[in-house]
């Protein structure tokens, strides 16, 4: 319904979309794009649990902090394991964006993309955190829906479309039609698990203990889901478990592909299972439009090729795949009709002050 007051407020207010990701939190402002892109890390005082730093600054502290400070990822597995800390993180980011804008009033309208596994209680906590951070209006949206909108998929139309959002902690597969999610699956296998695959492989094959950050670097540089035109190698550093001494070993992309196979296979299976559950009419639509990959993990070299071969459909990586959720969330506020279509049943009572 058209509300003139809302329309006028809308002209001046800040519309913010937030991707509360397991690995990265992004904030996009309507008409401006992504203004914050930081790791979802918070450093806290171990004893008082008081947050000391958020985002990149907090991640920098990992492994370098005195015993009293600990850096954590409150959303690591796609569930909000650390309530107050998630709240502190959200408040920090909203306040940061709001403080930067030249219009101090009215307060922002916020759409937050949350992992689809979160419980009602967790949703409530996210909602309350956004309100207490100064939001005038808060809407929650399931991450894959926001990703699909950010990727430009026709989610509001009757024809079906599909997104596979591969993040840090979770992979979410969803099929959309008529503004709703028709079938979906969420698995706790994504970028982090790939890093762990690499660590396990290096340990068992070379007795080399490598850190998480090193494993991620290996994945980004030479990781793949499909044979590369030109296979690569890179030196990997760690500690030899037998000698206890530092060691550097040259590793090939062929080996790393073998290391990543368990995670990649689970992602492939999640997509296949979702397709199995999809009504045939929508599968037919997907054969036209293909399957869209989003999230940071979508950028793993050759993953799209591997999936395409397995499901015999066109598979493509969304443009700027890591920012789809945040851009999609902020875009929803442009369009009230869309807002009501896609948020039905998810909105936990929007609040006006
Ligand atoms: P989330 O939404 O859970 O916060 P993101 O969508 O930000 O996660 O993706 C983060 C994950 O993407 C990390 O595990 C990161 O290592 C991975 N990633 C980023 N770029 C690449 C790349 N080029 N190849 C493979 N993985 C990547
Ligand atoms: Mg994500």
């Amino acid at each position: 319904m058209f509300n003139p007051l809302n329309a006028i407020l809308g002209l001046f207010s800040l519309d913010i979309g937030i991707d509360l990701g397991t690995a990265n939190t992004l904030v996009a402002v309507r008409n401006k794009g992504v203004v914050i892109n930081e790791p979802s890390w918070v450093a806290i005082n171990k004893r008082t649990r008081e947050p000391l730093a958020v985002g990149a600054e907090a991640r920098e502290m990992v492994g370098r902090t005195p015993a009293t400070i600990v850096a954590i990822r409150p959303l690591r597995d796609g569930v909000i394991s650390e309530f107050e800390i998630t709240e502190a993180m959200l408040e920090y980011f909203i306040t940061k964006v709001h403080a930067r804008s030249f219009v101090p009033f009215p307060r922002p309208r916020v759409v937050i993309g949350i992992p689809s596994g979160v419980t009602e209680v967790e949703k409530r906590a996210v909602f309350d955190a956004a309100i207490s951070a100064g939001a005038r209006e808060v809407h929650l949206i399931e991450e894959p829906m926001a990703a699909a909108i950010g990727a430009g998929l026709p989610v509001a139309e009757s024809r079906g479309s599909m997104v596979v959002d591969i993040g840090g902690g979770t992979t979410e597969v969803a099929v959309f039609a008529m503004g709703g999610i028709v079938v979906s699956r969420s698995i706790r296998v994504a970028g982090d698990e790939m890093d762990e695959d690499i660590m396990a492989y290096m340990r068992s094959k070379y007795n080399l203990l490598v850190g998480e950050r090193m494993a991620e670097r290996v994945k980004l540089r030479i990781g793949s889901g499909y044979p590369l035109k030109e296979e690569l190698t890179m030196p990997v550093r760690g500690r030899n478990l037998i000698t206890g001494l530092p060691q550097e070993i040259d590793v090939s992309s062929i080996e790393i592909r073998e290391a990543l196979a368990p995670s990649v296979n689970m992602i492939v299976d999640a997509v296949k299972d979702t397709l199995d559950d999809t009504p045939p009419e929508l599968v037919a639509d997907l054969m036209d439009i293909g399957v869209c990959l989003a999230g940071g993990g979508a950028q793993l070299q050759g993953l799209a090729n591997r999936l395409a071969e397995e499901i015999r459909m066109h598979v493509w990586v969304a443009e700027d795949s890591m920012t789809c959720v945040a851009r999609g969330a902020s875009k929803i506020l442009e369009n009230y009709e869309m807002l009501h279509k896609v948020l039905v049943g998810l909105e936990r009572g929007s609040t006006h002050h």
Side-chain angles (χ1 to χ4, degrees):
M1 201 177 58
F2 181 75
N3 177 336
L5 177 63
N6 249 332
I8 292 166
L9 278 176
L11 286 178
F12 298 105
S13 87
L14 204 55
D15 287 343
I16 298 178
I18 300 179
D19 170 7
L20 200 54
T22 65
N24 298 294
T25 297
L26 284 80
V27 182
V29 173
R30 185 165 61 91
N31 298 331
K32 259 200 207 153
V34 175
V35 294
I36 290 181
N37 183 350
E38 294 206 43
S40 307
W41 282 89
V42 182
I44 59 164
N45 180 317
K46 229 178 185 167
R47 211 161 12 86
T48 62
R49 307 205 38 92
E50 181 200 351
L52 302 171
V54 178
E57 199 189 331
R59 193 184 51 186
E60 278 312 305
M61 293 182 173
V62 177
R64 297 195 179 89
T65 53
T68 49
I69 301 174
V70 58
I72 50 180
R73 274 173 66 186
L75 291 144
R76 187 160 205 136
D77 299 311
V79 291
I80 301 173
S81 50
E82 304 274 359
F83 240 49
E84 290 82 19
I85 295 165
T86 305
E87 209 168 308
M89 189 171 82
L90 198 54
E91 268 185 46
Y92 172 85
F93 289 127
I94 293 177
T95 311
K96 198 167 170 182
V97 172
H98 198 204
R100 263 193 212 158
S101 81
F102 295 106
V103 191
F105 186 82
R107 290 173 299 147
R109 297 193 300 171
V110 180
V111 173
I112 307 175
I114 47 165
S116 49
V118 308
T119 64
E120 289 302 313
V121 178
E122 290 171 328
K123 283 181 193 167
R124 186 78 234 177
V126 170
F127 183 90
D128 291 345
I131 291 289
S132 80
R136 167 165 57 95
E137 205 179 291
V138 179
H139 305 276
L140 304 182
I141 183 171
E142 279 183 292
E143 227 176 64
M145 176 60 88
I149 293 169
L153 295 183
V155 291
E157 291 177 18
S158 56
R159 67 192 161 124
S161 48
M162 184 188 222
V163 143
V164 183
D165 180 0
I166 307 160
T170 58
T171 293
E172 312 223 7
V173 189
V175 176
F176 314 91
M178 319 261 287
I181 293 179
V182 183
V183 196
S184 72
R185 260 207 168 58
S186 173
I187 57 169
R188 291 199 185 159
V189 175
D192 294 338
E193 188 86 8
M194 293 181 194
D195 301 345
E196 280 159 31
D197 281 347
I198 292 174
M199 291 163 77
Y201 184 89
M202 294 306 292
R203 198 167 44 232
S204 72
K205 183 160 178 188
Y206 295 110
N207 283 312
L208 193 72
L209 192 67
V210 300
E212 253 173 54
R213 304 280 292 269
M214 183 75 221
E216 188 186 27
R217 276 207 295 276
V218 174
K219 175 185 70 178
L220 301 189
R221 265 228 340 245
I222 64 169
S224 63
Y226 199 78
L228 301 176
K229 276 202 194 86
E230 232 171 285
E231 299 292 351
L232 309 160
T233 60
M234 80 177 269
V236 178
R237 288 184 180 175
R239 186 159 53 85
N240 186 295
L241 283 168
I242 295 167
T243 64
L245 297 172
Q247 191 184 7
E248 186 177 283
I249 295 175
D250 280 325
V251 176
S252 77
S253 51
I254 300 171
E255 291 176 285
I256 297 304
R257 190 160 56 247
E258 187 188 324
L260 294 177
S263 296
V264 170
N265 290 341
M266 275 190 264
I267 293 170
V268 168
D269 287 344
V271 175
K272 283 183 171 169
D273 290 346
T274 310
L275 284 170
D276 271 348
D277 293 345
T278 303
E281 291 297 337
L282 296 183
V283 173
D285 294 339
L286 296 182
M287 290 168 78
D288 283 332
I289 189 173
V291 171
C292 176
L293 306 187
Q299 288 167 27
L300 182 77
Q301 295 181 71
L303 183 64
N305 299 350
R306 169 72 195 281
L307 268 167
E309 191 175 276
E310 295 270 359
I311 62 175
R312 299 198 188 96
M313 275 186 211
H314 175 51
V315 178
W316 84 97
V317 180
E319 199 180 312
D320 209 355
S321 73
M322 281 181 92
T323 66
C324 282
V325 173
R327 285 183 294 110
S330 73
K331 202 166 160 189
I332 289 165
L333 290 166
E334 275 171 22
N335 186 333
Y336 258 95
E337 200 181 327
M338 174 132 94
L339 184 69
H340 291 297
K341 243 182 188 165
V342 300
L343 295 176
V344 168
L346 248 179
E347 203 174 349
R348 295 289 161 253
S350 70
T351 313
H352 300 262
H353 293 262

